[in-house]
Amino acid sequence: MTGPTGGAGIDPVTLEILRNQLEGVAEEMGDVLIRGAYSPNIKERQDCSTALFDADGRMIAQAEHIPVHLGAMPEAVDAIRERGPRPGDVWALNDPFEGGTHLPDVTLVSPLAPAADADASGYDGATGDDIVGYAVSRAHHADVGGSTPGSMPAGAREIYEEGVRLPGVRLVRGGDIVEDVFALFLANVRTPAERRADVRAQLAAHERAAQRLGDVFERWGDTVYDAFDAVIEYSRDRIKAELSTIPDGTYAARDVLEGDGVADAADDAEIPIAVAVTVDGARVDVDFSGTAEQVPGNLNAPLAVAKSAVYFVVRCLTDPDIPPNQGCYDPISVSAPAGSILNPDPPAAVVGGNVETSQRVTDVVFAALADAVPERVPAQGQGTMNNLIVGSREGEFAYYETIGGGAGATANTDGIDGAQVGMTNTLNTPVEVLEATYPLTVERYAFRPGTGGDGAHRGGLGVERSLTVARDATVSLLTERRRNRPRGISGGEDGSRGENLLDGVPVGAKTTTDVAAGTTITVRTPGGGGHGPPSDRDPGARETDRRDGKL
C-alpha cells in the first residue's frame, strides 16, 4: 500500500520509532485480551494471538504469541475484506474453509480508520474507503459446541461434529454489538457465560487497537503509510539475505502421523506427510505432493495451517531479530494437493489438524532442511501438543490444556524440559487456578527422568500430569508420538514416547470417552531428541544431569 505521500522514502530513525509503535499496538492488544479474559485457557495459558494489518491485508506487526495462529491470519483478513467491511464493524469467523484454523479458534477482524477522534470502537462515521488497516485477534475458546465438551472429539468425521461454524459474520456494526448474532453463537456453546466474557475481552482488545493506531496517525500523519511499506520491505530484504545463505537445491523428507483416531487403535494406519523444499537463491518453494489424501478423522488441516508451520520453520532458521510481518512470508510459496490432508475439501473434520498435524509438518520441513543447514536444525521435540479436554455434557465446565514435553537439543544447547514446542507457545494452567476453577484435582505434575534423548546435547524431558475428576465427565485426548519416538540428530539418540492412561490403563493416542467421578487421567508426554554423539557430552554436564535426576 502507498499512502498519500506516494510511498516517499522514510529515514531509518523514524522507521524504527514507527515500527516499535506499530508492534506496540499489537502487543497492547494482546495484553488487554489476556487481562480481560475470563477462561483460564486465555487468561492463564494465553492461548491467543493479536496482530495489525494494513488496508491491503498485509501483516504489519504481530505480538509474539502462537505460531499456528499468526501464520494463518492473512487468510482470515482476506476473507473479511471480501465482505465489504467498514470502520466500526467487528467481524467474527472460525470456519477453517473460510479463513479459520479450527472451530475453537474464534477470530475477530475489525477495520480501522485513522481518525484520532473516533469513539472507543474506532467508529466515527467513516466509510469503507477510509480503512487504513485491520486489527485481528484469535483466541482458543474452551467450548464452541459440537458433539463433545471442549469441541475436540477424537472420532469426528465431519466438521459439523466439531462445533458452531462462523463463516464471517458481523458481530459489531457501527460500534454496536449485533445482539442476535451474539445470542445465536452463545446458544450453541456449552459454557455461554465464559464465552461471552472471553469474546468481550477480544472486543476490548480491538477497541484498544483503534485508539492506539489513531494515536499513531495523530502523531505522524501520512508518514504512517510510508512506514507500512517500509517495515515490510525491510523484513523482506533481511529474510531474503538469510535465505540466500542456504545452499540451492531440493531437499525432501517424510514423516507420519500415528493414525486419525477413527479406526481401532490396532488398525489405525500411519498417515504420511511428505515434503520437497526447493531453495533457489532468495526464494523457497515448499511442495507437499506425496502427502496422504484427506482422512476420515479430524487430522485434516487447512492449507493456512501448513503455511503457518512452514513460516515458523523459516523463522527458526533465520535471524530472530527480523521484524515479523508480511515481508518474511513474501519469498516463500507453499502448496499441497487439493483433497490432501493439508488441503482438505469440506466438510472434512479438522480440529486435530491445527494442533497435531501442524506439529508433524514442522518436523518434516525441519528434517528436509537439515540436509541443507544441519548446524541450524534442532533434533525433534515432542512433536505433539498433548491436547487434554475434560468437560461436562451438561455444560457445567470445559477444561482444555496442551501439555509441554521435551524440546529437541540443538548444536549448542540442551533441549528445554517440559516446554511447549513447535506450533504452540502457551503456558500451563497453574495448579491453584485449575483446582479452583474446575472439579479436578492435580495428583501429580513432574518431569519424567530419562525421557530426553542422550547426546552431546541432551533432549528435554517430558512431563507427567495426572488429574482426578470429581464428577462424571467426558474426556478427549488428541496426542501424537505414542508409537514413534522424537528423533535425535547428528548422532543424538531419540527421545521417549508418550503415553495416556485412565486409572492406570493405557488408552489410545486419540480417544474420547465418558468417565465416572473419581477417574484419574494421566498424560505422560514425550521427551526431545538429542543432538550429537553421546560420547561427546561434557562429563561435567553429565554429572549435573545425574545430580538433577534427569537420567
Side-chain angles (χ1 to χ4, degrees), residues 90-305:
V90 180
W91 292 72
L93 69 82
N94 69 349
D95 190 339
F97 302 106
E98 294 282 348
T101 50
H102 65 175
L103 296 183
D105 285 345
V106 176
T107 303
L108 300 189
V109 180
S110 60
L112 303 175
D117 58 349
D119 66 22
S121 69
Y123 180 63
D124 65 345
T127 69
D129 293 336
D130 298 315
I131 294 172
V132 298
Y134 297 87
V136 186
S137 67
R138 178 166 281 163
H140 185 112
H141 289 253
D143 184 278
V144 291
S147 63
T148 62
S151 312
M152 299 182 74
R157 289 175 176 267
E158 294 180 313
I159 195 170
Y160 311 117
E161 301 175 64
E162 297 177 338
V164 61
R165 291 170 72 185
L166 304 173
V169 295
R170 265 194 196 89
L171 182 61
V172 174
R173 184 193 299 269
D176 297 319
I177 291 178
V178 184
E179 294 292 349
D180 54 352
V181 172
F182 202 11
L184 181 64
F185 170 69
L186 295 175
N188 284 279
V189 303
R190 291 181 178 82
T191 50
E194 187 175 84
R195 299 288 69 72
R196 179 187 294 274
D198 284 349
V199 169
R200 287 190 174 276
Q202 285 185 259
L203 291 172
H206 284 250
E207 292 177 1
R208 184 62 59 86
Q211 294 167 355
R212 291 294 179 255
L213 188 63
D215 293 343
V216 174
F217 268 95
E218 183 177 30
R219 167 66 178 83
W220 295 99
D222 293 343
T223 304
V224 179
Y225 295 105
D226 293 327
F228 287 168
D229 288 327
V231 294
I232 290 174
E233 182 178 353
Y234 175 71
S235 291
R236 184 190 303 117
D237 289 346
R238 289 193 60 184
I239 205 81
K240 289 173 74 173
E242 290 280 314
L243 294 175
S244 296
T245 67
I246 300 175
D248 285 355
T250 297
Y251 307 96
R254 182 183 181 278
D255 208 328
V256 296
L257 294 161
E258 299 168 340
D260 68 353
V262 171
D264 292 336
D267 301 321
D268 210 358
E270 294 183 335
I271 302 163
I273 306 283
V275 71
V277 180
T278 299
V279 181
D280 183 6
R283 288 204 58 81
V284 173
D285 174 74
V286 181
D287 181 6
F288 289 100
S289 295
T291 290
E293 295 182 356
Q294 66 187 71
V295 295
N298 66 20
L299 291 184
N300 304 293
L303 185 58
V305 170

Side-chain angles (χ1 to χ4, degrees), residues 25-47:
V25 173
E27 291 285 355
E28 192 168 346
M29 279 186 72
D31 290 343
V32 170
L33 171 53
I34 291 165
R35 292 174 182 174
Y38 184 82
S39 69
N41 191 55
I42 300 174
K43 191 175 194 68
E44 301 291 344
R45 295 190 60 247
Q46 301 181 17
D47 194 348

Side-chain angles (χ1 to χ4, degrees), residues 130-504:
D130 298 315
I131 294 172
V132 298
Y134 297 87
V136 186
S137 67
R138 178 166 281 163
H140 185 112
H141 289 253
D143 184 278
V144 291
S147 63
T148 62
S151 312
M152 299 182 74
R157 289 175 176 267
E158 294 180 313
I159 195 170
Y160 311 117
E161 301 175 64
E162 297 177 338
V164 61
R165 291 170 72 185
L166 304 173
V169 295
R170 265 194 196 89
L171 182 61
V172 174
R173 184 193 299 269
D176 297 319
I177 291 178
V178 184
E179 294 292 349
D180 54 352
V181 172
F182 202 11
L184 181 64
F185 170 69
L186 295 175
N188 284 279
V189 303
R190 291 181 178 82
T191 50
E194 187 175 84
R195 299 288 69 72
R196 179 187 294 274
D198 284 349
V199 169
R200 287 190 174 276
Q202 285 185 259
L203 291 172
H206 284 250
E207 292 177 1
R208 184 62 59 86
Q211 294 167 355
R212 291 294 179 255
L213 188 63
D215 293 343
V216 174
F217 268 95
E218 183 177 30
R219 167 66 178 83
W220 295 99
D222 293 343
T223 304
V224 179
Y225 295 105
D226 293 327
F228 287 168
D229 288 327
V231 294
I232 290 174
E233 182 178 353
Y234 175 71
S235 291
R236 184 190 303 117
D237 289 346
R238 289 193 60 184
I239 205 81
K240 289 173 74 173
E242 290 280 314
L243 294 175
S244 296
T245 67
I246 300 175
D248 285 355
T250 297
Y251 307 96
R254 182 183 181 278
D255 208 328
V256 296
L257 294 161
E258 299 168 340
D260 68 353
V262 171
D264 292 336
D267 301 321
D268 210 358
E270 294 183 335
I271 302 163
I273 306 283
V275 71
V277 180
T278 299
V279 181
D280 183 6
R283 288 204 58 81
V284 173
D285 174 74
V286 181
D287 181 6
F288 289 100
S289 295
T291 290
E293 295 182 356
Q294 66 187 71
V295 295
N298 66 20
L299 291 184
N300 304 293
L303 185 58
V305 170
K307 289 180 179 179
S308 293
V310 171
Y311 298 154
F312 169 77
V313 171
V314 171
R315 290 308 314 270
C316 287
L317 300 182
T318 54
D319 188 344
D321 291 332
I322 299 173
N325 58 50
Q326 181 64 43
C328 296
Y329 309 151
D330 284 344
I332 305 165
S333 64
V334 181
S335 61
S340 71
I341 195 174
L342 299 182
N343 191 6
D345 297 322
V350 299
V351 72
N354 185 65
V355 290
E356 294 302 297
T357 306
S358 65
Q359 297 283 63
R360 196 62 64 252
V361 173
T362 300
D363 285 345
V364 77
V365 177
F366 267 131
L369 287 170
D371 291 337
V373 282
E375 71 283 357
R376 302 188 202 178
V377 174
Q380 288 184 346
Q382 65 166 340
T384 175
M385 296 191 194
N386 301 295
N387 302 270
L388 172 60
I389 308 98
V390 186
S392 163
R393 291 191 180 274
E394 291 73 32
E396 296 174 71
F397 73 102
Y399 158 76
Y400 171 66
E401 182 147 24
T402 61
I403 303 174
T410 74
N412 302 306
T413 61
D414 289 348
I416 301 171
D417 302 322
Q420 303 282 356
V421 305
M423 298 305 290
T424 186
N425 191 30
T426 55
L427 305 179
N428 65 186
T429 306
V431 171
E432 299 84 354
V433 172
L434 190 155
E435 294 186 339
T437 307
Y438 306 110
L440 300 169
T441 300
V442 179
E443 306 290 350
R444 179 174 174 81
Y445 191 28
F447 291 130
R448 298 178 63 204
T451 52
D454 201 0
H457 296 287
R458 178 188 52 77
L461 299 182
V463 303
E464 179 174 323
R465 191 152 167 93
S466 293
L467 309 173
T468 298
V469 297
R471 63 187 65 178
D472 296 352
T474 301
V475 176
S476 293
L477 289 154
L478 292 177
T479 62
E480 278 280 322
R481 296 298 189 204
R482 269 52 182 173
R483 300 181 198 168
N484 303 309
R485 298 172 180 268
R487 292 196 288 267
I489 194 171
S490 300
E493 295 183 356
D494 296 344
S496 295
R497 303 177 188 88
E499 187 177 23
N500 307 327
L501 306 101
L502 293 178
D503 284 337

